[in-house]
């Protein structure tokens, strides 16, 4: 998004005009940003001939976005049978989909087996059940490395108390299950958290998987998950993807050569691909002055954008309607009958009722975490592609809220 001719624009299109066309609140996604992020990652690992990025679709699962990312050449990382089905509907081949559930039953996993996707298991009990039920089906296991990584404790998933993964210290148990059931271990997987700035965390995790890989001759791929940090503010830091590619590619190729292995190196970027592509636009309902604060109340709440309340995440807020106005301090809040504060004491160009506010970094874990709390409708989604704004999800209506209700 750039400020050009007194308007904030994506691919030359004014965000104000897009919102006037489709209404607020509204999610808007920029295809060019998704493409540039994907190419940046794949270019960084160009020396690795067998490299695959699987998009973590829980970040943003609109089938039009999935189809676009698939056409770029990515595979798909899924965490539920429904995401698997969406991926297939979007045109992904089963072999390009990896299914990494957590806390699900063997029944759901068996449905994924029937669909032909890669299976990734993070539980010893389920691994043994899987081996007895699906002999001959190759499997990947998710390892918990006991590494505290990520922006905060809410998004770190590789520490010792995490519910995710099989402890790296339980490797002997994995081997015993493989021997007893005849399972083929095709992949090793590790994901330690989100918003990881330090490249050394990825290199440390890779070394742990390399050491494990020596013990499993049937391996076909190593999957390092993702967790790349993206910038949230001006001059904010982000993961140095180019440096990571340089360092990890060299180490991976050296490992494969030394151990005579022909492995695929995989990542599962979600937020990295779509976060910066997304913008959430809402209109201002009311300006409320209290004895200590000036509130800008918008026609949205955590029913549409819960990340600031759930993860304490930061989203830069811009006044699209007054790009050159003088700056004042506001607390931007929602219309939900709860405390739903998007930002406190934010410096924003002067706001008046009816203005359009834009939240940046709204592509990942924003619409996908939306709800109908307070019986509010979910907003529409628009995809800006090839210089055109296209509606990819209509706004909900009362009929949508009642569609699954059964009257008695």
């Amino acid at each position: 998004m750039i400020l050009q001719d007194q308007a904030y624009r994506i691919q030359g299109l004014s965000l104000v005009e897009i919102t006037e066309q489709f209404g607020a609140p509204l999610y808007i996604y920029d295809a060019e940003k998704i493409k540039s992020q994907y190419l940046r990652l794949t270019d960084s690992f160009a020396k690795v001939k067998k490299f695959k990025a699987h998009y973590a679709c829980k970040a943003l699962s609109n089938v039009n976005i999935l189809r676009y990312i698939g056409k770029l050449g990515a595979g798909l990382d899924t965490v539920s049978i429904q995401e698997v089905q969406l991926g297939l509907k979007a045109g992904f081949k089963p072999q390009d989909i990896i299914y990494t559930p957590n806390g699900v039953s063997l029944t759901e996993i068996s449905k994924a087996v029937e669909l032909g996707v890669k299976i990734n298991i993070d539980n010893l009990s389920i691994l043994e059940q899987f081996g007895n039920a699906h002999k001959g089906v190759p499997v990947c296991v998710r390892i918990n490395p006991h590494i505290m990584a990520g922006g905060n404790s809410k998004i770190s998933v590789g520490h010792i108390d995490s519910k995710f993964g099989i402890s790296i210290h339980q490797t002997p148990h994995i081997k015993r299950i493989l021997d007893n059931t005849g399972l083929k271990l095709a992949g090793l997987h590790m994901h330690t958290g989100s918003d990881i700035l330090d490249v050394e965390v990825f290199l440390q995790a890779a070394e742990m998987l390399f050491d494990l890989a020596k013990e499993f001759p049937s391996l076909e791929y190593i999957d390092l998950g993702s967790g790349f940090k993206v910038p949230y503010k001006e001059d904010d830091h982000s993961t140095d993807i180019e440096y990571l590619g340089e360092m990890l590619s060299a180490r991976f190729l050296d490992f494969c050569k030394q151990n005579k292995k022909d492995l695929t190196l995989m990542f599962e970027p979600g937020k990295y691909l779509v976060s910066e592509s997304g913008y959430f636009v809402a209109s201002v309902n009311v300006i409320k002055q209290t004895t200590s604060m000036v509130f800008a109340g918008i026609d949205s709440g955590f029913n549409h954008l819960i990340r600031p309340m759930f993860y304490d995440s930061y989203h830069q807020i811009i006044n699209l309607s007054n790009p050159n106005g003088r700056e004042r301090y506001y607390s931007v809040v929602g219309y939900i009958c709860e405390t739903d504060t998007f930002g406190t004491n934010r410096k924003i160009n002067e706001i008046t009722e009816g203005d359009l506010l834009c939240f940046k970094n709204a592509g990942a874990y924003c619409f996908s975490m939306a709800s109908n709390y307070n019986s509010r409708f979910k907003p529409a989604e628009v995809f800006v592609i090839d210089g055109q704004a296209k509606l990819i999800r209509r706004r909900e209506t009362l009929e949508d809220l009642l569609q699954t209700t059964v009257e008695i």
Side-chain angles (χ1 to χ4, degrees), residues 160-175:
I160 194 169
D161 294 322
S162 173
K163 70 170 185 172
F164 298 97
I166 300 171
S167 169
I168 194 166
H169 302 304
Q170 293 178 308
T171 301
H173 299 299
I174 296 174
K175 288 182 173 181

Side-chain angles (χ1 to χ4, degrees), residues 96-256:
D96 288 331
I97 299 176
I98 186 166
Y99 166 68
T100 307
N102 176 258
V104 308
S105 68
L106 183 64
T107 301
E108 179 173 323
I109 296 174
S110 295
K111 292 178 182 178
V113 172
E114 293 173 4
L115 294 174
V117 302
K118 287 185 173 71
I119 307 297
N120 188 15
I121 294 177
D122 79 337
N123 180 294
L124 288 172
S125 172
I126 294 295
L127 182 64
E128 186 169 16
Q129 294 177 50
F130 183 91
N132 290 325
H134 298 288
K135 295 185 184 299
V137 177
V139 71
C140 177
V141 294
R142 177 174 180 172
I143 301 297
N144 183 336
H146 305 314
I147 296 174
M148 178 65 79
N152 60 54
S153 60
K154 291 183 178 181
I155 54 177
S156 178
V157 296
H159 55 83
I160 194 169
D161 294 322
S162 173
K163 70 170 185 172
F164 298 97
I166 300 171
S167 169
I168 194 166
H169 302 304
Q170 293 178 308
T171 301
H173 299 299
I174 296 174
K175 288 182 173 181
R176 187 179 71 244
I177 291 172
L178 297 179
D179 290 340
N180 290 344
T181 63
L183 268 178
K184 174 188 174 183
L185 187 67
L188 287 173
H189 173 279
M190 187 181 292
H191 177 66
T192 56
S194 298
D195 284 353
I196 301 172
L197 182 63
D198 188 358
V199 168
E200 293 301 320
V201 171
F202 293 101
L203 299 179
Q204 180 185 357
E207 289 298 336
M208 297 175 80
L209 286 189
F210 292 159
D211 286 340
L212 274 183
K214 297 174 185 178
E215 304 182 38
F216 300 102
S218 62
L219 275 188
E220 298 173 1
Y221 57 91
I222 288 178
D223 188 337
L224 289 172
S226 183
F228 308 135
K229 187 183 184 306
V230 298
Y232 298 105
K233 307 174 184 179
E234 293 181 8
D235 301 321
D236 196 8
H237 296 291
S238 60
T239 306
D240 189 336
I241 299 298
E242 289 76 17
Y243 178 67
L244 174 64
E246 177 185 354
M247 298 299 291
L248 185 54
S249 294
R251 182 65 189 94
F252 175 75
L253 293 173
D254 183 59
F255 169 81
C256 290

Side-chain angles (χ1 to χ4, degrees), residues 227-350:
F228 308 135
K229 187 183 184 306
V230 298
Y232 298 105
K233 307 174 184 179
E234 293 181 8
D235 301 321
D236 196 8
H237 296 291
S238 60
T239 306
D240 189 336
I241 299 298
E242 289 76 17
Y243 178 67
L244 174 64
E246 177 185 354
M247 298 299 291
L248 185 54
S249 294
R251 182 65 189 94
F252 175 75
L253 293 173
D254 183 59
F255 169 81
C256 290
K257 182 178 180 180
Q258 287 186 7
N259 294 275
K260 296 181 174 58
K261 291 183 178 294
D262 184 25
L263 302 178
T264 298
L265 178 62
M266 290 164 43
F267 276 97
E268 298 169 354
K271 183 188 297 182
Y272 168 81
L273 287 183
V274 297
S275 178
E276 294 174 272
S277 78
Y279 303 88
F280 180 59
V281 182
S283 63
V284 178
N285 286 335
V286 61
I287 300 297
K288 181 177 181 179
Q289 173 81 56
T290 70
T291 55
S292 62
M293 196 84 68
V294 179
F295 291 99
I298 62 174
D299 65 341
S300 181
F302 68 58
N303 56 319
H304 296 158
L305 178 56
I306 198 173
R307 292 188 74 250
M309 305 82 183
F310 193 59
Y311 290 122
D312 300 322
S313 63
Y314 180 94
H315 292 263
Q316 187 177 356
I317 305 172
I318 296 171
N319 187 349
L320 298 179
S321 303
N322 188 17
N324 297 309
R326 68 187 181 100
E327 294 181 326
R328 297 189 62 189
Y329 286 92
Y330 299 90
S331 288
V332 180
V333 296
Y335 60 9
I336 291 297
C337 192
E338 305 279 356
T339 300
D340 57 350
T341 303
F342 294 101
T344 301
N345 281 330
R346 293 286 189 89
K347 188 186 289 187
I348 305 172
N349 291 5
E350 188 168 16

